[in-house]
Every structure is written in structure tokens, then in C-alpha cells.
Amino acid sequence: MSPSQRVLDVVESLLESDGFPVPPSVRLCEAVTAALPVTGVALSLMVPTGSAGLVAATDDRARAIEELQFSLGVGPSLVASRSGRPVLEPDLARLTSARWPGFLPAVLDRGVRAVFAFPLQVGAIRVGVLDLYRDSPGDLPDEALADALDFADVATMLLLDLQGQNPDDPQLPDRLEAAVHRPEVHQATGMVMVQAQVGLQEAFLLLRARAYADNRSVLDVAIDVVGRRLRLDGEP
Amino acid sequence: MTREEQIAEALVELADTLVVDYDVVDFMHALVNRSTELLGGDAAGLILSDKRGQLQVMAASTHEVELLELFEVNNDAGPCLQCLRTGRPVMDIDAGPEVSESGTVAAQGGVEHGRDRLGEWPRFTAKRRAAGYRAVYALPLRLREEVIGALNLFSTSAIPLSERDLRLAQALADVATIGLLQERAIRERQVLAEQLQRALNTRIVIEQAKGVLAERTGLGMDQAFAAMRSYARSNHHRLTEVAERVIDNTLPVGELVH
């Protein structure tokens, strides 16, 4: 299912900006807040060892909530990231206090009533989490949920870009499609991981970097890798 | 206000809570209060069965009713419990001093004694009398084959409910059922969305693992998949788990491919 126009417009605006003075990660958070029925958004990086860091947030409250989860080691974002599934809590006030001790009361105190945490991942590549907060209870309507999932994909690519240092990559819309919907891309990622003797995330970056360098789509490069016409073993 | 106006007002209120900013707790309290009002009872309560079959006292218009319902739940006996089990309306009403009539309520409003009567519940009856209630009616909250709870009406007078009132009471119980199932459906939709996303991501994990295994062994993608699936089955592991272990290299290739 292709992303809605709302999502495509956001991607467009991210590509048009040059990163100054507002970095794309912040712009994305702001755009998500504007496009969806939520009051705050935060984007965080999470590495497999468990440590995490806030990348961007729309406001101090969103920032504080993210950091609280990291320091307490409990919360919906952490569950989302570890389990690989979104954690949708439309009414925090109705949860029992045994859930997320320390975190839940603090978050309610700050006036947050709903949280929707989306893991940022490509299969076994776990990059981080996109958290949506709302100061009133209620679940995300179907359309908003679909958009949120697409925004999570955009955020995933953004975080991978930041790490791969490909800030000017114009292929974002392509990669949104290709990365998520074609098995060859993921199979190639696995193969490159072994060929280059690197981690899965780095293998994915190598694949994309090669596509960028050769001015081809990631899917085309992946098909060559799977067809054993191309090896990416990290050698120049 | 005429009775018709009262009924109309009650239905409007209940419908409102279902649609506008739906809140199941508000809804249950509105239902319990309106039932009392409309049926000339003195109090009402709502017992629900959660998804695992455990009973919860969800709402009660007075503290005494809450205690009575809790008593029933904790002792596993009483008209409300019988209603929940049979899916039929049940009553427990004083027919005279020290005498009560109890059992399933027949369509005409009379009490059916017979094979499906599970017996009286003397301790409950004594307690409700002590609380001043001379009659209890329990209406099932049911949708097709599922009985999800009971709406319980308590009265300080022993006048039986008329057939018309019984039908109205059941209609209110039916409204409650729809409202509550909507709440469950919403909750289930969330769980479904969460699980769907996990499943979609899991498929990617499997594709990544196929690539890793294919590169390590020289196998084609389909063969790599077959090897993982076969290993998962023979060893009673989940395929996702096997895929993850292939990726993080904690599963020796030799165990998958002979």
C-alpha cells in the first residue's frame, strides 16, 4: 500500500530543505505533529546494546518523557523497540500503576494521556523509535495509524541516513518503497553482511551507498547481489 | 415527565455515550442509573465477565449493591451468577415473610421452576434482605451465543416487574452489550494493528536471514528458507527465532545444512 499524500508531502518537504537551520529529524517530528492527531513527537536512536539517545523532539515535554524512559529503563518506547511491534496506548489513565512503574505517574503528571510508540526497524535492523504523544485520551483512527506507520518508515531511513552520512540522498521516496516491500533488498542485505563481514545495519548502508554511487535504485543493486552478479565486500 | 419521555431521555443519553467520546466507565454508570430510574427499582449493578471468564463488578448505584454483587462473585452463587451461566433472566423475590421465589424468569414474567433451576441461594437471599432489598432481577448481557455479563436490578418492594418492564430492562441490557462489545472491538483493533506490524517486520527478518544463510552456504534463497523451516520444525522452535539466530550467528550453519 503506497503512502498517503500527507506522507509524501512531508517527504517532499524534507528533501527540499537543506538542513539549515532546522535539521530534517526535527522537521520530521514537527511535520508528524501537524499531520496527525497528536500533541508531541519524539525521535530516538536505539542501539542493540540497549543504550539510547534522543535525536529530536517537538517540545520540552516530549523530550523529558523520552529521557525519562531511558533513565528508568521502562516505558512504551522501550517495549516497542525490543519487541518489534508498535505499542498503542490510547488511555494511559486507565492502565494499572503496576505497568511501567515510575514512568506512568510521571507521564500522567505532565498531562500526557495517550502514547503511540513505533519501532524503527528493517527486519533485524533496529534503529530506534518514533513516539507520538497526546494530551487527551483516544486511539488513532485507521488513516492516522497508517500514516504513522509510513512516517515511522521515513524516520527509519532518516536515522540510517544520519548514520551513513548520506544527507543529500534524493532517493528517499524510492527507498521508502524498495526497502520495505521487496524481498531482494533484504536478502541482499543478509548476503552483504556476510560478504563484507559487517553488521546488518552497515550492510544495508553499503547497499544503499552503492546504489547512490552508481545512480541506480537500491532494488536494482539488490537484484544484482542476489543474482550473484555483484559482491559488496567493502573493498573499493 | 411522562414515562415515555423518561425512556426517550434515557436512550438518548446512552446513545450519546456510545458515540461521542465513548467512555465505557461513563456508559456503565449511565446505564445503571437509568435502569434504576426507569424500572422503579432502587438500585442496579453491572457484573461483567472479562475475556478470561473472570467476573468483575463494574458498576453499582449504591454501596450495598456493590457489596451484594461482590458477595455473589466471591461465593460463586446468586441470581446474577445463574443469569450469567444460563444466559436467561433470573429473579429472586420475596413472595411473603421468610419466603422467596427464585429461578429463571419465563417469557410471561412468571418464575419457571424446573430442570434448569440451579437451586436457591439462601445466603445471598439473607444478605439482600438484610440490605433492605426484597427483589432482584438479573438480565443477561448477551449477543448471540456469548453472555458477557448481567445487569442486576434491586428493589425495596416485592412487586414483580411487569412483562413490559422486563422487556425494557432487557432492551437496556442489550444496549449495554453493544456498547461493551464496541469497547472490546476497539481494543482488539489495536492489538491487531500491533501484531500485524510485528508480523510484517518478522517477514523481513526472515528474508534477511535467507540472504545470510545463502551467502554462507552457497544455497539458493528457497533452499535456505527450506533449511531454516525444517530446522525450526524438528526442533520445535519458532521460525522467527531461527532466523534471528542465523543473523546474529548464534546458530551454527552445520546444524541447518548437512
Side-chain angles (χ1 to χ4, degrees):
Chain A
M1 192 151 72
S2 44
S4 71
Q5 193 55 49
R6 243 188 322 260
V7 172
L8 292 173
D9 288 345
V10 168
V11 170
E12 195 70 41
S13 74
L14 283 180
L15 293 175
E16 278 165 8
S17 81
D18 58 7
F20 287 110
V22 179
S25 54
V26 176
R27 286 182 130 258
L28 176 65
C29 291
E30 290 171 352
V32 173
T33 317
L36 299 182
V38 297
T39 39
V41 174
L43 179 65
S44 295
L45 204 62
M46 281 188 198
V47 295
T49 54
S51 62
L54 180 77
V55 172
T58 52
D59 55 276
D60 285 341
R61 181 166 68 174
R63 175 185 315 270
I65 294 168
E66 289 287 287
E67 284 170 357
L68 184 62
Q69 291 193 72
F70 302 150
S71 61
L72 288 176
V74 298
S77 320
L78 298 177
V79 174
S81 178
R82 281 180 209 139
S83 66
R85 60 169 175 83
V87 174
L88 310 173
E89 289 294 347
D91 196 342
L92 292 171
R94 295 241 225 116
L95 296 178
T96 65
S97 56
R99 191 96 179 270
W100 305 323
F103 174 74
L104 194 57
V107 130
L108 288 170
D109 251 0
R110 284 184 157 81
V112 174
R113 290 288 174 271
V115 61
F116 310 101
F118 296 89
L120 304 181
Q121 60 197 359
V122 180
I125 302 172
R126 301 267 165 93
V127 186
V129 67
L130 179 70
D131 295 323
L132 278 40
Y133 298 107
R134 207 211 272 123
D135 55 14
S136 62
D139 61 353
L140 284 181
D142 285 343
E143 265 186 37
L145 181 59
D147 280 350
L149 292 167
D150 283 334
F151 282 129
D153 288 340
V154 176
T156 305
M157 290 303 140
L158 203 67
L159 286 185
L160 288 173
D161 266 347
L162 289 177
Q163 297 189 302
Q165 290 158 348
N166 280 344
D168 302 320
D169 192 338
Q171 289 180 5
L172 190 55
D174 273 347
R175 286 192 276 107
L176 210 54
E177 292 280 330
V180 182
H181 299 295
R182 292 298 296 267
E184 292 92 339
V185 172
H186 310 301
Q187 290 163 7
T189 306
M191 291 174 73
V192 170
M193 179 182 170
V194 176
Q195 288 170 6
Q197 294 289 293
V198 294
L200 205 58
Q201 181 167 329
E202 212 183 316
F204 192 47
L205 291 175
L206 284 174
L207 201 60
R208 292 163 69 225
R210 185 53 177 260
Y212 182 58
D214 291 357
N215 200 24
R216 303 170 72 197
S217 74
V218 174
L219 179 59
D220 283 344
V221 174
I223 288 172
D224 279 350
V225 171
V226 172
R228 298 186 192 275
R229 290 179 291 279
L230 178 63
R231 275 184 72 84
L232 295 180
D233 47 20
E235 303 301 314
Chain B
M1 199 184 293
T2 65
R3 186 165 165 71
E4 281 69 25
E5 282 165 339
Q6 269 187 317
I7 294 175
E9 204 181 69
L11 288 174
V12 167
E13 185 193 5
L14 289 174
D16 267 352
T17 60
L18 280 176
V19 177
V20 179
D21 288 336
Y22 178 75
D23 181 293
V24 70
V25 176
D26 275 348
F27 174 73
M28 289 190 290
H29 283 292
L31 177 68
V32 157
N33 292 334
R34 287 291 180 175
S35 308
T36 317
E37 222 178 72
L38 281 174
L39 298 161
D42 299 282
L46 192 63
I47 292 180
L48 289 187
S49 169
D50 72 16
K51 281 246 159 186
R52 284 167 300 174
Q54 288 185 312
L55 300 180
Q56 310 281 351
V57 176
M58 297 302 288
S61 61
T62 67
H63 186 56
E64 290 80 19
V65 160
E66 190 176 4
L67 291 176
L68 282 169
E69 289 185 329
L70 283 169
F71 179 81
E72 274 193 77
V73 170
N74 293 334
N75 289 277
D76 206 28
C80 319
L81 271 276
Q82 184 176 343
C83 171
L84 269 156
R85 284 195 201 111
T86 61
R88 317 257 312 265
V90 174
M91 66 187 265
D92 176 28
I93 182 169
D94 286 351
E98 306 306 310
V99 175
S100 71
E101 275 201 60
S102 52
T104 310
V105 177
Q108 306 86 343
V111 178
E112 246 177 31
H113 299 275
R115 276 188 301 265
D116 62 351
R117 182 170 155 216
L118 296 179
E120 291 173 341
W121 30 80
R123 288 171 67 210
F124 171 80
T125 302
K127 276 205 173 296
R128 70 144 172 85
R129 280 194 188 130
Y133 295 114
R134 303 194 58 208
V136 179
Y137 279 88
L139 286 313
L141 267 59
R142 68 185 289 182
L143 187 65
R144 291 184 273 277
E145 294 319 307
E146 217 187 331
V147 183
I148 63 167
L151 174 65
N152 311 306
L153 309 168
F154 293 77
S155 178
T156 52
S157 80
I159 300 169
L161 280 181
S162 67
E163 193 188 321
R164 184 188 70 168
D165 281 349
L166 260 183
R167 284 209 299 269
L168 178 59
Q170 187 59 61
L172 291 171
D174 292 342
V175 171
T177 308
I178 293 168
L180 293 163
L181 288 177
Q182 179 188 244
E183 157 83 354
R184 269 198 204 170
I186 290 170
R187 185 64 215 155
E188 274 167 8
R189 187 171 75 78
Q190 270 155 26
V191 171
L192 194 64
E194 292 171 5
Q195 286 174 347
L196 187 64
Q197 283 313 113
R198 177 149 206 285
L200 289 173
N201 196 58
T202 298
R203 283 172 58 184
I204 296 178
V205 173
I206 290 171
E207 294 303 328
Q208 290 166 339
K210 278 158 71 170
V212 169
L213 193 58
E215 182 65 18
R216 286 208 184 111
T217 59
L219 291 173
M221 293 299 163
D222 290 344
Q223 291 167 304
F225 180 65
M228 286 194 288
R229 194 172 52 175
S230 162
Y231 179 85
R233 279 193 187 151
S234 344
N235 293 276
H236 305 293
H237 292 321
R238 283 180 8 248
L239 183 57
T240 315
E241 211 185 291
V242 172
E244 282 166 357
R245 289 179 61 198
V246 165
I247 290 170
D248 66 18
N249 211 7
T250 55
L251 184 54
V253 167
E255 287 193 36
L256 287 164
V257 180
H258 309 294

